[in-house]
Amino acid sequence: MTESPTTRLLPWASPDGKTCILLGDGRGESGLSRVADRMEDVQLEMADGLLDHAADMLGDDATTDRQLRFFGEQLSAALRDVRRVAESRGARLSTGG
């Protein structure tokens, strides 16, 4: 049986910030698809680590404004990554791919 082509939102953007899409064969078994799966897992693990660190930083009166700004930037980047992962996985679930 021939699978119909599928698209997948990749967990990274191009150097100029544009969305990257993979056109697959419908099986999701390409090398790039496996790399994307691993990248998504890393992005989710990094977000978990930042969340764990958030309680420590926010509870420490010695945390400076500069540290909090930097941490906020990292949380923002992680949230963008997690949103991209959720969009990609949600799209694949809704199409069965």
Side-chain angles (χ1 to χ4, degrees), residues 9-65:
L9 175 65
L10 293 173
W12 54 79
S14 71
D16 57 350
K18 294 184 180 177
T19 299
C20 293
I21 303 286
L22 173 65
L23 178 61
D25 61 7
R27 294 180 298 165
E29 298 173 1
S30 73
L32 187 55
S33 185
R34 287 189 296 275
V35 168
D37 289 341
R38 287 193 300 272
M39 180 66 147
E40 287 178 349
D41 289 341
V42 167
Q43 289 171 325
L44 294 174
E45 288 174 14
M46 289 175 65
D48 280 342
L50 284 170
L51 286 173
D52 291 342
H53 192 55
D56 295 336
M57 284 194 79
L58 295 172
D60 184 354
D61 291 336
T63 302
T64 66
D65 289 346

Side-chain angles (χ1 to χ4, degrees), residues 69-88:
R69 272 193 304 279
F70 177 77
F71 188 67
E73 291 168 0
Q74 301 308 304
L75 281 175
S76 179
L79 184 56
R80 274 192 298 277
D81 290 342
V82 168
R83 182 183 63 197
R84 184 184 302 268
V85 170
E87 288 172 357
S88 177

